[in-house]
Structures are given as C-alpha cells and as structure tokens.
Amino acid sequence: MIFGPVSGKMTEKFGARIVSILGSILIIVSIAGSSYASKLDFLFLTHGVLTGIGSSFAFTPGMIMISQYFTTQRSLATGIVMSGGAAGALVQTRLHQYLIRTVGWRQSMRIFAGIMGISVVAGFAYKPLNPPGHSRSVVENLSTSPIKGFIVDLGLWKDRVFLIWVFANGLAKFGFFIPYVHLINHGVQLGIPFELATNIMLVLGMSSFISRIIFGRICNSSRINRLYINQGSVFTVGLLYLLIPLFKTFGSLVAFGLFLGIADAGNYILLPVLTFDLMGSERMAVAWGFMLTVNSISCYGPPFAGWMYDMYGSYNLGFIVAGALNVASVFVLALIPWAKRSSMQNRKSILSVSMNETTHEIKPWIDNNTMEVISFIISTVIVTKFKKKGSGKLMKKHNLLFILQGDAVFVIYNLFTLVLK
C-alpha cells in the first residue's frame, strides 16, 4: 500500500496493462522465492516487501481503470471487481489448508505462484482509453503537461476535501485486518475447536462477497447519497467491533462475521468510487495512490491486537480500540459536505478552458451559458453608461478583470458595487 503513489503515477505514464503485468510477475517471483526460504528474514523480504510492491502494482491499475471505463454503472462494476477479492479469499484459505496438509507449505507456495500466472494473462485485457492515432485536444494536452501534473499532485495535500477523506479512512482502516488475522484464534480462546472456528471466516468471506455486489448495485442509484452509505457502513463496523466482548459462542461469532461482511462491503467498494467522485478523473490515479499509502495503517491493526492479547490475555481490547476509531471517523467524514461547499468554485482561464478548484478537472469553456452572457452584456451597458457620466473611474482594474473572465458571480457582485457607489 505504501507504494500506492508510485503505482498510480506509473499507471498514468505507462498504462494499466504494463503496470499490472509487471506487478503480477513480481508477485510470482516473490511467492516462488518464499518457498525456498530458510530464515524468517528472507520471508520478510520476499513475502513481505516484494509481494507488497507487486500487489500494489497489480491492484492499483484495476481500481483506477474501473472508475474510468464505467460512467453510468461505476459502483456496480466496482462491487463486482472487489467481490473477486472476497471470493478469492474463500477459495484460497481452503486450498492452502488442503495443500499444506498434502504436499507441505513450500510446494503450496509454488503452486500458488503458478496460479498467479492467470493475473499476467488477465493484465492484457486492459485497453487504453485513447486509441492509437487519437488526436489530442488543447485541453487534453494541458491536462497531461508535466508542470500541471506536478502542481496537481502537490495540490492534493492542500485540498481540504482530500485531507478529510484520507484522514477519516486512515482511522476507519486501522482495524480492517484484525478479524482476518485474529478472529479464528479469538474463537479458539473461547473454547471453539479450530476446525469449527475456521467456518467463521467462511461466513465472513461469503457475506462480504455477496454484499459487495449488492451494495454496488444499490449505490448506482442517483437517489442514494454514497457518502451517507459509506458513513453508515463505517459506523456499523465500529459498533460490531465495540460489541465483540458480548460474542462468546460459536453462533454469536458466526453472526458477527455475517454482519461484519455485510457492513464492511459498503465502505470497501465505495473507497475508489468516492475517491473518483470527490477528486475527479484527472486526479484519480494520484489520489488513489495516496489513499493506499494512508490505508497502509491497517497493517498495524493486527500487531496492535496481538500486543493487547499479550498484555491482557484477550483480543477484546484490540477490537474495541479499532471500533472506537471507526466511530470517530464517521464524525470526520461528516465534514466533507462542508469542505466541498467552501471550496467549490469554477474560474475561467485565458486559455478558454474551465478548471474546477475542487477536482482540478479541466474542461473546454462553453460560452453559451445564458446567465454569464446576459450578465456580461448588462455589465458592459452599465459600465458604458457610467463612463459617459464621468464615473468610469469607479471601475477598478480587478473588477474589470473579473467581468472579462466571465464569472457570473463576480459580474453580479461588481454590478451591485457600481450601482451602490
């Protein structure tokens, strides 16, 4: 996840196909290399660092391109793609257990390295949005210029919407991996047999798989506020974590896994969708890369829960702290509408293009906006009238500049200024 910004920029520069295939090959090499490890330090390098970098390269292009390929069914498409991860976890867990029992963990790793070859083939399915021979417009050339790209990348960290978004998700994702790492051991600690406790994860994975598709379909509706869905999802996950001390039987932990899979699906599939909605297509690649970097805080959740277990003999406190952070992130997310209202403006530039200050998305300047045309004509008539009366000096340089830029808000403001004076 820390390599998210790197993989995002590489996707912009080299395309999704090259980056995803490179990432898949790196994963294959790292998993195969891990099977020959004789020391834990070597596993940290291969299965930790190299697999992590490869996963970032393989995962990031998919989330970026799915938001660009689909415009009307983006949430559903994202839900279907992300449900693949839940389905893969279901199959992988059972297959790993079977292979380790029959052929050993080293051979199991090599088999999984071979299976990863499917991802290399799948990487060729990515197609560039602009086919060869496509003539780029002035707007497109400006959008991809190195100078503007550098400014946009740095400008993300000055955007209040982006800062609130990544901070809230950093809080919410702290406990994301805790149940995937410790839930089975938590069940065993409560007296549930290991083989039976693994079924809790089966229920969690199955409910997450189905719910991601359902939430994707629901969030396609124009009547649904995706931000509210995300907040509800994060709050429910936090509430479940806070209630973990009450779940002491196998049946209650199965119910916990069922509802956790349902609740977390809403937040999980909406991460790339809302990042696209809030940041715009132009900044999606870099914004998503930074999001992955911030979300890497989730890697510290399982060690923290393990530390709590070592200190107090229970995983409960680890879950409770993660739940409290989830609830806190809901209140942080509530600041996003305010941040959007305070920063959303459109300014016209001298290059006949319009840049949205929230998304930094460049669009051609459409001159047939009725309100702006009428405002400009009226302002010109009034300015001429005032000049004939000798009051033209009231028209200051910066006011004239705003009128010439054609911004309707500033035109009306200046008209009132002239009339009042």
Side-chain angles (χ1 to χ4, degrees), residues 95-207:
L95 184 58
H96 255 310
Q97 291 176 351
Y98 171 77
L99 291 175
I100 290 173
R101 286 196 304 265
T102 54
V103 298
W105 72 270
R106 294 184 186 274
Q107 194 63 26
S108 175
M109 299 285 280
R110 293 163 192 162
I111 292 174
F112 268 89
I115 294 175
M116 275 301 300
I118 299 175
S119 298
V120 177
V121 177
F124 286 96
Y126 289 116
K127 293 183 179 181
L129 292 176
N130 292 328
H134 170 74
S135 59
R136 300 174 61 83
S137 65
V138 174
V139 173
E140 290 174 320
N141 288 328
L142 179 62
S143 299
T144 57
S145 65
I147 296 178
K148 181 183 179 301
F150 178 73
I151 294 174
V152 168
D153 293 352
L154 295 181
L156 273 173
W157 295 104
K158 291 184 178 181
D159 190 316
R160 280 178 290 185
V161 175
F162 179 72
L163 289 175
I164 293 172
W165 176 237
V166 295
F167 179 66
N169 280 287
L171 293 176
K173 288 303 175 184
F174 176 78
F176 178 75
F177 287 116
I178 291 179
Y180 293 94
V181 176
H182 295 301
L183 189 56
I184 293 178
N185 291 332
H186 178 66
V188 172
Q189 184 196 22
L190 294 174
I192 302 172
F194 177 81
E195 291 296 330
L196 189 61
T198 58
N199 292 324
I200 301 172
M201 298 305 300
L202 182 66
V203 173
L204 171 59
M206 184 63 71
S207 65

Side-chain angles (χ1 to χ4, degrees), residues 1 8 49 86 127 148 151 158 164 180 188 245-246 263 279 285 289 292 299 306 320 325 329 353 363:
M1 289 185 177
V49 177
K127 293 183 179 181
K148 181 183 179 301
I151 294 174
K158 291 184 178 181
I164 293 172
Y180 293 94
V188 172
L246 302 179
M279 296 296 106
L292 290 180
C299 299
I320 290 173
L325 293 177
S329 72
V353 296
K363 298 179 180 179

